[in-house]
Amino acid sequence: MQSVFDGHNDVLLRLWHHERDGADPIAEFKDGISSGHIDAPRAKAGGLAGGLCAIYIPSGDLVFADPDRNGHYATPLAVPLERAPSLDIALEMAAIALRLDRAGAWKLCRTTGEIRDCMEKGIFAAVMHMEGCEAIDADLVALETFYAAGLRSLGPVWSRNNVFAHGVPFAYPSSPDTGPGLTDAGFALVRECNRLGILIDLAHITEKGFWDVAKTSDQPLVASHSNAHALTPVARNLTDKQLGAIKESRGIVGLNYATAMLREDARSDANTPIEAMVRHVDHLVSRVGIDCVGLGSDFDGATIPEEISDAAGNQKLIAALRNVGYAEADLVKLCRENWLRILASAWKEGSATRASQY
């Protein structure tokens, strides 16, 4: 079984929702439930050794547009969120992450050495990520606090605008070039993430924002859960030109399992074959090389192929990749080593990129 380090999931969002309904997030993750995608038992069954676990502030007003008779759709951007309630929710999710760590349900990791140690010991290796920085002030005071709590990765923006950047809408067919990029505060955020050693994720940003980060950041370019625009032309996917920039920076693109980003018709339909996932991996590898592709499932945040179903089904994708000719050394890179190299670089670890034998 190949151990997987996943570039993106929304398990904290699910646990936060369920806690508000009276559930115990520690027991839910540690013991497992039948709904959702990730908990400790299903992660272990599918070889999911850890991943970037997102703090995401939901947009309650967002209603996805229905496709027209041609299958096209364009969901307007969610309205910007106020900072104070966003900060409250972000702190609640961070508290769940810290409580899971204290309870031994997972390990909140701050170095790749800690991630590798968790892999050896069979402990879920969680990295605190922020998907959209509505909880962060323009002066970046809160960033220091979240960093101290374990934040090691962030996306400046989700698919809505904020003080730092502009996001892409959920639209098909659509270019990712849908509006402005970073604001002045966004450029400052990128520079401060570079200084602290916080990975910058470009998954939801406009194409203009992508290039703004590319010219400002000293890190490899990262799109944690995005696919190939050439195969599925939704605004959230990456053009071949963007993929070329990721290759040049020795960055990474994480395969998103969301069916709306895999299918040629961009529909959110669980009846989507694993072959669609393989097709995107093939295209990504052809454009950026085997060293710059990973997995970014979007578990607990999207409709995924029913053949995968949840974290326990990860090895089905790996088996499908093996069946079309990916060697074990390639699978090691796709499943974890490419992500660990990127994290070591963003976190300024130097020599912490040794090959894994797990």
Side-chain angles (χ1 to χ4, degrees):
M1 180 185 293
Q2 287 286 353
S3 294
V4 172
F5 186 86
D6 183 27
H8 185 83
N9 70 72
D10 287 293
V11 67
L12 284 172
L13 175 65
R14 191 196 80 216
L15 295 173
W16 174 80
H17 275 303
H18 289 184
E19 183 177 46
R20 288 197 157 195
D21 292 335
D24 176 359
I26 310 303
E28 178 171 323
F29 186 85
K30 195 170 184 178
D31 301 332
I33 59 172
S34 59
S35 62
H37 294 147
I38 296 179
D39 50 45
R42 286 181 289 177
K44 184 162 290 189
L48 181 60
L52 273 65
C53 301
I55 292 172
Y56 161 73
I57 315 303
S59 283
D61 66 316
L62 183 63
V63 178
F64 286 87
D66 292 326
D68 65 18
R69 63 183 181 181
N70 297 313
H72 300 172
Y73 56 84
T75 299
L77 284 174
V79 299
L81 300 179
E82 295 182 11
R83 179 171 177 260
S86 298
L87 177 58
D88 288 344
I89 293 171
L91 289 171
E92 291 168 7
M93 290 190 190
I96 291 173
L98 291 164
R99 284 155 51 204
L100 285 163
D101 182 87
R102 287 197 302 271
W106 71 18
K107 168 71 174 176
L108 195 58
C109 297
R110 294 166 172 83
T111 68
T112 57
E114 291 179 339
I115 295 172
R116 294 186 187 280
D117 185 60
C118 286
M119 288 181 173
E120 289 178 347
K121 295 176 179 176
I123 301 168
F124 189 90
V127 174
M128 189 187 295
H129 170 77
M130 188 171 284
E131 186 177 25
C133 288
E134 283 81 5
I136 304 296
D137 55 292
D139 293 330
L140 306 179
V141 174
L143 185 65
E144 291 275 4
T145 303
F146 279 104
Y147 180 82
L151 183 72
R152 291 297 182 273
S153 174
L154 63 77
V157 66
W158 185 69
S159 289
R160 60 188 169 225
N161 302 334
N162 63 23
V163 69
F164 299 109
H166 294 76
V168 293
F170 296 97
Y172 164 79
S174 174
S175 162
D177 186 13
T178 60
L182 293 178
T183 65
D184 288 345
F187 282 106
L189 174 66
V190 170
R191 290 190 290 268
E192 185 63 4
C193 286
N194 286 171
R195 184 186 73 83
L196 288 171
I198 298 174
L199 181 142
I200 300 165
D201 180 16
L202 303 171
H204 282 269
I205 205 165
T206 60
E207 186 172 7
K208 177 65 165 57
F210 178 100
W211 298 117
D212 284 345
V213 173
K215 72 183 182 184
T216 307
S217 179
D218 63 11
Q219 299 177 13
L221 298 178
V222 171
S224 68
H225 55 305
S226 298
N227 295 336
H229 191 272
L231 301 183
T232 305
V234 295
R236 277 273 286 106
N237 280 342
L238 298 166
T239 66
D240 285 349
K241 183 177 180 181
Q242 289 174 298
L243 292 174
I246 288 173
K247 178 181 180 179
E248 185 176 353
S249 75
R250 292 205 74 230
I252 193 169
V253 53
L255 176 77
N256 194 325
Y257 296 11
T259 62
M261 296 175 66
L262 291 168
R263 296 171 59 93
E264 293 181 5
D265 61 6
R267 297 294 295 269
S268 184
D269 183 353
N271 186 25
T272 298
I274 289 179
E275 285 73 22
M277 306 172 79
V278 173
R279 193 166 60 102
H280 275 269
V281 171
D282 285 344
H283 185 90
L284 295 174
V285 170
S286 74
R287 292 293 173 173
V288 303
I290 195 66
D291 292 326
C292 297
V293 181
L295 303 179
S297 69
D298 214 356
F299 280 144
D300 283 317
T303 298
I304 67 172
E306 60 186 4
E307 288 182 78
I308 301 294
S309 181
D310 56 28
N314 251 334
Q315 297 300 314
K316 295 179 182 177
L317 169 60
I318 296 163
L321 292 170
R322 187 179 290 116
N323 288 341
V324 298
Y326 285 88
E328 292 305 311
D330 295 333
L331 294 175
V332 167
K333 292 180 178 182
L334 290 170
C335 288
R336 59 188 179 276
E337 283 304 320
N338 290 342
W339 267 116
L340 293 176
R341 172 182 62 81
I342 290 294
L343 294 176
S345 176
W347 297 346
K348 306 181 188 302
E349 291 182 355
S351 61
T353 56
R354 64 179 177 82
S356 170
Q357 300 301 313
Y358 313 137

